[in-house]
Amino acid sequence: MSKSDFDKNGIDQIGIHWGQYLALTFSSFFIFSICLYKAIPEFRNFVLDIIWFINCSGFNCNGA
């Protein structure tokens, strides 16, 4: 088992909290996904198919 670079408060040696790394990762992934959605029609269709599947699979809480 290796030792973590974060202290007991979740801060590394240069003073960045692990939550800040997580937020940066999610933000970067979100921006990248938006760029793909706008640039590639196949990716847009893939996203819309996923949304359609989730809407029709019982996860829709609005009763539509």
Side-chain angles (χ1 to χ4, degrees):
M1 185 169 187
S2 64
K3 183 181 179 295
S4 175
D5 289 339
F6 297 104
D7 64 7
K8 64 178 178 143
N9 295 321
I11 299 183
D12 64 2
Q13 293 176 349
I14 60 174
I16 299 176
H17 191 270
W18 65 265
Q20 290 174 294
Y21 287 114
L22 187 65
L24 180 65
T25 302
F26 282 140
S27 299
S28 300
F29 180 73
F30 183 68
I31 292 169
F32 182 71
S33 298
I34 288 174
C35 293
L36 283 178
Y37 183 82
K38 291 184 175 274
I40 302 174
E42 291 84 11
F43 185 76
R44 179 182 293 210
N45 292 336
F46 176 70
V47 170
L48 293 176
D49 286 342
I50 290 173
I51 292 171
W52 181 84
F53 176 78
I54 290 172
N55 189 32
C56 295
S57 64
F59 290 112
N60 185 1
C61 299
N62 295 328

